[in-house]
Amino acid sequence: MKKLFLYSNICVFALILTVFAIDWFVKTSTASQLYTDTADIPYKKVGLLLGTSKYAIGGRVNLYYKYRIQAATALFKAQKIDYVLVSGDNGSKHYDEPTKMKADLVAAGVPEDRIVLDYAGFRTLDSVVRANEVFQTKEYTVISQQFHNERALFLANHFNHSALGFNAKGVSYRYGFRVQVREYLARVKMFIDILLGITPKFLGEKVNIG
């Protein structure tokens, strides 16, 4: 029993160490690609806006969503992107991230003809791969919160895309506690997907942007 307890503790420790090692590696390997100021970030034709739900539990507007819309709008108005590729989940007729984000981008002043929708961005991996495989762009700026941008950029680097990240405003640790804890697991899952060669659920016909 003592040996079993010892081995169990060793396995738990190794697992925790692996999770934090992956987190550190993702952060450090993408740090130079992240920007927070529109004046500093280089121009890319396309901004890849990663989707999320507009409303949080309880019916409040999701701050992650709100700040991503603001970031994409700021980037466009600063002429650091010409098009916004909105990639999100449209898994059912009752849930449509891209269309809601498009409506709010238009309301914020982004012209409708400069917004392209990707309805099959079910996961970050799908959004990144489809940006190239479907929407034919390997050069783009990812728009989301920093933790999300880090993971997206790590994937973009793996697939040899030329990508930057523009960080939307973050949220307080208390507000985003669940999301931030889940991010550790998402990074582990990303490594597993890469090792297994997981591909997007859907690809489809190619689309030209601009």
Side-chain angles (χ1 to χ4, degrees), residues 22 25-26 154 186-196:
I22 288 174
F25 186 51
V26 171
F154 191 90
R187 294 182 181 202
V188 174
K189 177 64 164 56
M190 174 186 67
F191 265 72
I192 294 172
D193 287 344
I194 289 173
L195 290 172
L196 296 180

Side-chain angles (χ1 to χ4, degrees), residues 137-208:
T137 177
K138 275 192 172 183
E139 298 190 7
Y140 51 84
T141 295
V142 184
I143 306 165
S144 188
Q145 276 70 31
Q146 180 172 335
F147 69 88
H148 198 186
N149 281 343
E150 289 169 348
R151 178 156 49 93
L153 287 172
F154 191 90
L155 286 164
N157 293 342
H158 172 73
F159 292 110
N160 296 314
H161 298 178
S162 177
L164 301 173
F166 185 67
N167 296 336
K169 182 179 176 181
V171 304
S172 68
Y173 184 77
R174 182 178 179 182
Y175 179 92
F177 176 75
R178 290 184 181 179
V179 172
Q180 293 172 55
V181 170
R182 192 164 63 238
E183 179 63 21
Y184 285 101
L185 302 179
R187 294 182 181 202
V188 174
K189 177 64 164 56
M190 174 186 67
F191 265 72
I192 294 172
D193 287 344
I194 289 173
L195 290 172
L196 296 180
I198 300 299
T199 58
K201 188 174 182 180
F202 298 109
L203 286 176
E205 296 182 5
K206 294 187 182 300
V207 178
N208 289 316

